[in-house]
Amino acid sequence: MSEPTPATAEKDEPSTKRRRIKPEKFSEQAHWSNREEELFQQALANSRWEKNLPRLPIDPAPTFYPTADEFIDPLKYIESIRPRAEAYGICKIVPPAGSWTPPCAVDMASEAKFATKRQRIDRLQESLPYGDGDKYTLREYQAMADAFRESYVAAREHLKPDPAATDANNPGGDETVPQAERGLSAAEKKLEEEYWRLVDECAEEVSVDYGNDVDVEEYWSGFPRASSSSSGAAKTTTTTTT
């Protein structure tokens, strides 16, 4: 039998050169919709833009500690610190410990209706504008929020409260303990975790009527006004996100 020629031997040996395979683009996935393709391209563009942003040091926002006398009228105090806080865009105010227990200044019987925005929790990271939600009185909004929470929790086993569990912040369930001292209950912590799960995973479509941007000039705010103390309870309104 004749010996193989060098050319034959080269063919029989495995090649050490790697074959280049063109990577498949995410945007070419057949199951992507036009909307998903658009969001993908938007995310790429945002990523390139953010990568080139200068990294500047950010000073911490200021914290203010008013005295009991200074905080008799919270809105007046906030106005007084505006020149120092405004440059930061945000600040923290720590109310005087033990001496600031404002009464409930919300007029729940008010028939005034305020507008809301329809917010898709699972699409918050897309920075899309909100659509218009319904209009509510305070009592209507509270009823809607309670009904939404009840139905949402009932449909999800992982959010249902554990009857055997106790609230570490208020184990006796004492309603005389101020809310600010109780902290979040176990059920409230579960809801907060659920909110961030929806935001991060974007796996489930959930819409709520967002009622946090209420014009304080028209509806006042949740702070009691010192000027209203002589004319009865302050007519203020406040809303929360469901």
Side-chain angles (χ1 to χ4, degrees), residues 163-186:
T166 58
D167 186 354
N169 295 309
N170 187 22
D174 186 358
E175 293 297 324
T176 63
V177 177
Q179 182 65 42
E181 297 178 14
R182 296 183 208 173
L184 293 178
S185 67

Side-chain angles (χ1 to χ4, degrees), residues 148-210:
F148 176 88
R149 172 174 176 165
E150 183 178 347
S151 62
Y152 189 91
V153 170
R156 293 159 178 80
E157 194 65 33
H158 66 285
L159 294 179
K160 293 180 180 178
D162 181 0
T166 58
D167 186 354
N169 295 309
N170 187 22
D174 186 358
E175 293 297 324
T176 63
V177 177
Q179 182 65 42
E181 297 178 14
R182 296 183 208 173
L184 293 178
S185 67
E188 290 167 338
K189 288 178 181 177
K190 282 186 177 182
L191 281 178
E192 184 177 31
E193 292 169 359
E194 176 71 0
Y195 171 85
W196 289 113
R197 182 189 73 81
L198 293 170
V199 172
D200 293 337
E201 297 180 6
C202 309
E204 185 178 352
E205 180 178 331
V206 177
S207 296
V208 297
D209 278 1
Y210 177 76

Side-chain angles (χ1 to χ4, degrees), residues 27-63:
S27 58
E28 294 175 352
Q29 297 293 328
H31 65 280
W32 277 28
S33 66
N34 290 338
R35 178 59 180 163
E36 289 170 328
E37 169 67 18
E38 179 185 342
L39 293 175
F40 173 72
Q41 294 300 333
Q42 178 183 325
L44 285 180
N46 290 344
S47 178
R48 296 189 189 102
W49 177 75
E50 291 175 356
K51 186 177 180 180
N52 296 324
L53 286 177
R55 303 300 179 185
L56 301 176
I58 300 177
D59 294 332
T63 301

Side-chain angles (χ1 to χ4, degrees), residues 1 28 50 63 73 122 144 159 171 190 229 234 237:
M1 181 181 291
E28 294 175 352
E50 291 175 356
T63 301
D73 188 336
D122 55 303
M144 179 276 297
L159 294 179
K190 282 186 177 182
S229 58
T237 61

